[in-house]
């Protein structure tokens, strides 16, 4: 295993992150990190058998120390030139507190820590969600607080206290809106290092989790979103990877601090079309 190569770090070894890794990881050292070492090792082995140079690692993105340990391990192979963040929990997987701790706070810490070590010319994508675009309008003050509040104070914000968060979906929407705003804020800092960062907000992408949702108690709502979208189907991880590859490559060198909503038009239909809540009153 060679040292001093360009290093790409994947956090959250799900199908979307793996698809992106395949697009941007050739000729580099891929560090595949997941909360489950078993999952990280399985994905790293699959990528290794497909010709990629890989290392498996564990990371809990809700822990700053865990992220710092991952960065240290990744740096042992060379300069970190790419970061793919696909880690997180869904509103069906965890209680409100865990959603906020992982998806809101954890993502903010990850962007902050990697922003201090990313190499010149480096780039990153973090996977947000269409849900953040259906939160509704925040005030200018609320948006600025989510974007710029010191990371260790984020969970103390009034808007994310239990009394102000209706349910796990609301917590998830707040977290994903925060992701997009933190990317904008971090982009100004990453730029001083000659690096870029963007987010992608996918809609319903077919993964094992999405299939569980489609066949579970929330399945009817999922199918209604798919059928009521302008495109009329769910997406694939490879389609998300198409966008990520552009953003992380030299062809995307003019793009930073941006969010790319790719949800088959579900959000458009939610606000202005057949999926509007007004249609179900």
């Amino acid at each position: 295993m060679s040292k001093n190569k360009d290093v790409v770090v994947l956090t959250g070894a799900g199908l979307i992150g793996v698809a992106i890794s395949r697009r941007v990881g050739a000729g580099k050292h891929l560090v595949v990190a997941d909360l489950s070492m078993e999952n990280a090792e399985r994905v790293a082995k699959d990528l290794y058998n497909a010709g990629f140079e890989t290392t498996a690692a564990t990371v809990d993105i809700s822990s700053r120390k865990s992220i710092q340990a991952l960065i240290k391990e990744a740096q042992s192979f060379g300069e970190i030139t790419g970061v793919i963040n696909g880690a997180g929990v869904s509103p069906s997987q965890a209680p409100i507190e865990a959603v906020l701790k992982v998806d809101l706070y954890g993502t903010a810490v990850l962007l902050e820590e990697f922003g201090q070590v990313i190499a010149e010319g480096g780039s990153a994508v973090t996977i947000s969600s269409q849900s953040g675009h259906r939160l509704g309008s925040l005030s200018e003050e609320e948006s600025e607080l989510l974007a710029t509040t010191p990371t260790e104070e984020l969970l103390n914000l009034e808007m994310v206290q239990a009394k102000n968060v209706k349910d796990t979906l609301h917590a998830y929407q707040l977290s994903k809106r925060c992701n997009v705003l933190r990317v904008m804020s971090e982009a100004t800092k990453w730029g001083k290092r000659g690096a870029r960062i963007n987010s992608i907000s996918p809609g319903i992408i077919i993964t094992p989790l999405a299939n569980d949702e489609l066949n579970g108690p929330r399945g009817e709502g999922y199918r209604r979103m798919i059928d009521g979208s302008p495109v009329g189907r769910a997406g694939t991880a490879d389609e998300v990877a198409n966008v990520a590859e552009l953003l992380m490559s030299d062809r995307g060198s003019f793009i930073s601090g941006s969010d790319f909503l790719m949800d088959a038009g579900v959000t458009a239909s939610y606000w202005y079309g057949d999926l509007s809540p007004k249609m179900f009153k």
Side-chain angles (χ1 to χ4, degrees):
M1 188 176 294
S2 58
K3 305 290 184 179
N4 299 317
K5 300 190 74 168
D6 287 351
V7 178
V8 174
V9 180
L10 166 64
T11 55
L15 288 184
I16 292 175
V18 172
I20 297 170
S21 297
R22 287 177 175 273
R23 300 296 182 88
V24 304
K28 301 175 182 178
H29 190 99
L30 273 172
V31 177
V32 179
D34 196 86
L35 184 61
S36 162
M37 179 54 109
E38 181 181 2
N39 192 41
E41 288 177 337
R42 177 183 57 78
V43 170
K45 183 178 180 180
D46 287 345
L47 288 167
Y48 171 78
N49 286 330
F52 295 88
E53 183 177 299
T54 62
T55 295
T58 58
V59 68
D60 174 0
I61 71 163
S62 70
S63 163
R64 187 180 292 272
K65 287 185 177 179
S66 181
I67 293 171
Q68 290 171 337
L70 173 63
I71 288 172
K72 185 175 181 180
E73 181 172 2
Q75 287 178 314
S76 70
F77 300 105
E79 281 195 305
I80 298 174
T81 60
V83 182
I84 305 159
N85 177 37
V89 294
S90 80
S92 297
Q93 291 177 313
I96 289 172
E97 295 77 9
V99 171
L100 294 172
K101 185 71 184 292
V102 175
D103 291 355
L104 189 146
Y105 168 79
T107 298
V109 174
L110 185 143
L111 302 184
E112 180 178 79
E113 289 290 338
F114 275 98
Q116 295 172 16
V117 300
I118 190 73
E120 182 175 358
S123 59
V125 293
T126 191
I127 303 302
S128 186
S129 170
Q130 63 175 352
S131 286
H133 290 262
R134 293 202 294 278
L135 177 63
S137 298
L138 297 177
S139 69
E140 184 177 341
E141 179 185 10
E142 288 172 328
S143 292
E144 185 167 351
L145 285 170
L146 288 177
T148 64
T149 295
T151 310
E152 294 304 321
E153 298 173 20
L154 266 175
L155 294 178
N156 297 327
L157 290 176
E158 185 67 15
M159 73 179 84
V160 301
Q161 299 312 300
K163 63 182 180 181
N164 296 318
V165 180
K166 294 180 291 186
D167 51 30
T168 57
L169 177 59
H170 186 202
Y172 187 73
Q173 290 176 330
L174 277 167
S175 298
K176 294 307 180 179
R177 178 68 64 84
C178 183
N179 294 169
V180 169
L181 292 167
R182 296 304 278 202
V183 163
M184 293 178 69
S185 179
E186 284 292 334
T188 66
K189 303 168 188 175
W190 285 50
K192 291 179 171 61
R193 298 181 62 88
R196 299 178 298 105
I197 181 168
N198 294 286
S199 59
I200 300 174
S201 291
I204 298 175
I205 305 299
I206 296 302
T207 63
L209 175 61
N211 279 328
D212 285 345
E213 295 281 12
L214 282 165
N215 293 299
R218 287 155 53 99
E220 182 180 350
Y222 266 59
R223 286 187 289 274
R224 188 170 68 204
M225 278 196 288
I226 292 170
D227 294 340
S229 71
V231 175
R233 65 172 177 85
T236 67
D238 285 313
E239 289 175 303
V240 180
N242 288 339
V243 176
E245 182 181 17
L246 167 65
L247 295 176
M248 295 186 72
S249 73
D250 290 342
R251 290 177 294 142
S253 61
F254 197 57
I255 308 171
S256 193
S258 297
D259 178 65
F260 290 79
L261 174 64
M262 49 180 308
D263 67 347
V266 166
T267 300
S269 191
Y270 176 85
W271 289 112
Y272 308 114
D274 293 341
L275 294 175
S276 170
K278 299 174 186 176
M279 302 293 291
F280 301 99
K281 291 182 178 179

